[in-house]
Amino acid sequence: MRFLMSTTSPSFPSPPPLHQYTIKQPQFIPFQKPTKPHENSVKSQKNSGFLSAIGNAIEEQEYRKARAEVIRKGTGLDGYNIEGVSIGGHETCIIIPEFKCAFDIGRCPPRAVAMNYLFITHAHLDHIGGLPMYVATRGLYSMSPPTVFVPSSIKEDVENLMDLHRKMGQVELNLDLVALDVGDTYELRNDLVVRPFKTHHVIPSQGYVIYSVRKKLKKQYAHLKGREIEKKKKSGVEITDIILSPEVAFTGDTNSDFLLDPRSSDALRAKVLITEATFLDDKCTIEHAREHGHMHIDEITEHAKWIRNNAILLTHFSSRYHIEEIRQAVTKLQSKVSAKVVPLTEGFRSMYSS
């Protein structure tokens, strides 16, 4: 296709005759020592401390920026090195290497792939969306199929989801899918078991408590000597009691009702409680939090007397908050509870970040 354009020459005014120009003689300006901008004002302010105040402010801001960029490799709580990311509505995946397990899978962070056990609390995408990738990546690296625990109410749907991905990708996605209900007990190792407990979200959900298992000699046999104990043991007499100690509890998304539920007592006396605090300030009411199946941090303060944990890891903060706001809210909470309170701030930005 050809485009035809008509052009016209613009009419400019004619330059004046040469005799109308005047030529100015060059002027010579004596040399002066150059001065820096605002040199005089700076000199007058040196003695006032103005520069030192500005310098300190700049240094503090740079320090805060640098601190905000630090990548946290894990949070040590009561003997457990807990890793992960949890941003409300975006992704949640909490990793405990000591148990080789992850709670929820979020977008499948690379570190989670090495975990043999995965506990899904509910079916919202920010908690389960990375499941096919988790299973596929383990297969890619010839790792053993993982064991994935889900509420029984969603097991069939999860099976259908995995079948769909097998069909679309024409790949094998091998996993051991286990449905667990509240009250069930599953043995992970001979010294470790897991039990679900009821949580209160807007869709079916449950939390998990991991227990350590140890055997303790029954009181009636405490006076016996080693040979006598061995003799009774060989004769088939059960000489020990099984002691379950709650180590770590994870709630996933829930409102505060679980704090008042007697069936949650083990979660509230585990060494470490990992729970949510989606909302932190007065811009969101407790009623709003409850309506959406979440907790406001003020509710934890209100029910602090029921909490018997050694440490609490708070997760699932709304993405509206900055690191500094989260830490300020946690500091306020810390004065109200006996447990050590730590926020998981991986993925959040500092208000000083550009």
Side-chain angles (χ1 to χ4, degrees), residues 28-264:
F28 295 95
I29 301 174
F31 174 77
Q32 295 180 353
K33 181 180 178 181
T35 59
K36 296 180 180 179
H38 312 298
E39 186 178 59
N40 293 333
S41 62
V42 169
K43 286 181 179 179
S44 65
Q45 293 166 349
K46 275 188 176 179
N47 296 330
S48 67
F50 176 81
L51 285 183
S52 61
I54 291 294
N56 290 340
I58 293 175
E59 289 177 2
E60 183 178 2
Q61 182 171 346
E62 291 301 318
Y63 164 74
R64 289 177 175 176
K65 285 183 178 180
R67 184 183 65 183
E69 293 171 357
V70 172
I71 299 176
R72 299 180 62 184
K73 296 300 182 183
T75 299
L77 287 177
D78 216 75
Y80 295 106
N81 189 48
I82 302 174
E83 309 172 31
V85 59
S86 182
I87 303 173
H90 291 256
E91 58 179 316
T92 290
C93 180
I94 306 299
I95 300 163
I96 305 183
E98 289 84 356
F99 297 151
K100 299 292 289 182
C101 81
F103 293 109
D104 289 333
I105 194 60
R107 301 179 183 180
C108 187
R111 185 72 177 89
V113 174
M115 302 300 108
N116 296 332
Y117 301 106
L118 173 60
F119 301 94
I120 298 295
T121 60
H122 65 288
H124 279 156
L125 278 177
D126 56 323
H127 292 256
I128 199 175
L131 177 58
M133 180 60 72
Y134 165 70
V135 176
T137 305
R138 285 185 64 91
L140 178 67
Y141 290 106
S142 300
M143 304 172 72
S144 61
T147 302
V148 179
F149 301 89
V150 298
S152 61
S153 60
I154 67 170
K155 182 183 179 184
E156 183 178 351
D157 291 330
V158 172
E159 288 175 337
N160 292 336
L161 173 68
M162 300 307 294
D163 284 340
L164 181 61
H165 280 281
R166 291 184 185 105
K167 179 180 179 181
M168 290 191 301
Q170 298 183 20
V171 294
E172 291 186 5
L173 295 173
N174 298 318
L175 74 160
D176 182 12
L177 189 62
V178 178
L180 281 185
D181 283 322
V182 173
D184 291 344
T185 301
Y186 187 96
E187 184 178 271
L188 301 173
R189 304 187 315 226
N190 57 7
D191 63 343
L192 215 61
V193 299
V194 62
R195 286 177 176 171
F197 65 95
K198 183 174 178 57
T199 55
H200 305 265
H201 196 36
V202 292
I203 63 174
S205 63
Q206 62 190 32
Y208 298 91
V209 179
I210 295 182
Y211 300 79
S212 60
V213 181
R214 62 186 179 90
K215 293 182 178 181
K216 183 179 180 180
L217 187 66
K218 291 182 177 180
K219 290 183 178 180
Q220 61 265 39
Y221 303 123
H223 65 285
L224 298 180
K225 296 181 179 180
R227 289 184 179 179
E228 295 174 309
I229 292 174
E230 189 65 25
K231 184 177 180 181
K232 285 190 173 294
K233 186 176 180 181
K234 289 182 177 179
S235 66
V237 176
E238 186 57 60
I239 61 173
T240 58
D241 289 321
I242 303 297
I243 307 298
L244 299 182
S245 300
E247 298 290 329
V248 176
F250 178 73
T251 67
D253 291 2
T254 183
N255 67 28
S256 62
D257 287 350
F258 93 95
L259 292 169
L260 304 175
D261 190 338
R263 294 169 294 181
S264 302

